[in-house]
Each structure stands twice: as C-alpha cells, then as structure tokens.
Amino acid sequence: TGVRGRISVPIMYRTPILLFLFHVLTTLGQSLTLQNHTLTEFYFATRGDQWTISSNWLVGDPCLWSGISCSALSLVYQIILVNNSLNGTIPESLGNLVNLSNLDFSGNS
C-alpha cells in the first residue's frame, strides 16, 4: 500500500509549475491595477461626484462600488448605472475591461 492523499511532483516539474503560477498571479495583479485605473478614469469623465448614487467609488475594492459586478477573480464583468446622473464622455479606456460583457447607462445625459 502507498501513502494516501499526497501527490508527489517530480522536482523537474516543480520549477515550471511555480513559474506558471507566478505568471498567472502577476498577470491578474496587473489586470486588477489597470481595471482600477480605468474605473477611476470613468468616474471622473462622467462627473462621478455628481452621480445620484456613488457608494464606495474610489475607496477600496472596485467590486464593492455601486453598480459594479465582478467575477470570482475580481474582474469586472458588468457596470449598471441606470438613472444615475452620469454626464460626460465615456472614456475609450473602458475597453481595457476585457471581461466586461454588460453595460447599462440608460437614463443618463
């Protein structure tokens, strides 16, 4: 009988696995930083300080900001800010949110 519940990874595979995981985590971290900058730019471009509801915007985790929905990996997939007094131009940088699949800005200027 062998040892149960333990998987042994040969040493020659450990370094590539660790490098892959490091790459994935680094890429995710860069995506989250870009996402935060993009949403901040959107806030200022649409006069967020004058929105009807802007709960938590610019503070902490963007996934907790009003109107924002995120995946399990904290990537924004939806922005819904209906009848919220948005006014201005939507910045092109919103295209940086590659997981964004739903936008609803109806009822705004």
Side-chain angles (χ1 to χ4, degrees):
T1 66
V3 176
R4 300 181 109 197
R6 186 174 184 154
I7 298 174
S8 178
V9 177
I11 194 149
M12 64 186 190
Y13 296 118
R14 290 181 191 167
T15 300
I17 290 170
L18 291 175
L19 288 174
F20 172 75
L21 290 174
F22 177 77
H23 172 73
V24 167
L25 292 175
T26 301
T27 301
L28 180 58
Q30 290 170 345
S31 294
L32 294 176
T33 299
L34 178 60
Q35 173 176 277
N36 197 319
H37 289 299
T38 298
L39 291 171
T40 299
E41 181 180 357
F42 169 76
Y43 176 88
F44 287 111
T46 58
R47 300 189 180 124
D49 60 327
Q50 297 174 18
W51 293 353
T52 305
I53 300 171
S54 60
S55 304
N56 299 326
W57 274 77
L58 306 182
V59 178
D61 182 1
C63 295
L64 301 176
W65 297 354
S66 59
I68 302 293
S69 298
C70 295
S71 69
L73 293 175
S74 296
L75 298 171
V76 173
Y77 69 85
Q78 178 173 270
I79 303 174
I80 298 180
L81 296 167
V82 176
N83 297 318
N84 203 39
S85 302
L86 276 69
N87 190 5
T89 304
I90 297 170
E92 288 183 27
S93 63
L94 216 55
N96 293 332
L97 304 176
V98 295
N99 290 295
L100 189 62
S101 62
N102 187 29
L103 285 174
D104 190 350
F105 301 142
S106 58
N108 291 289
S109 298

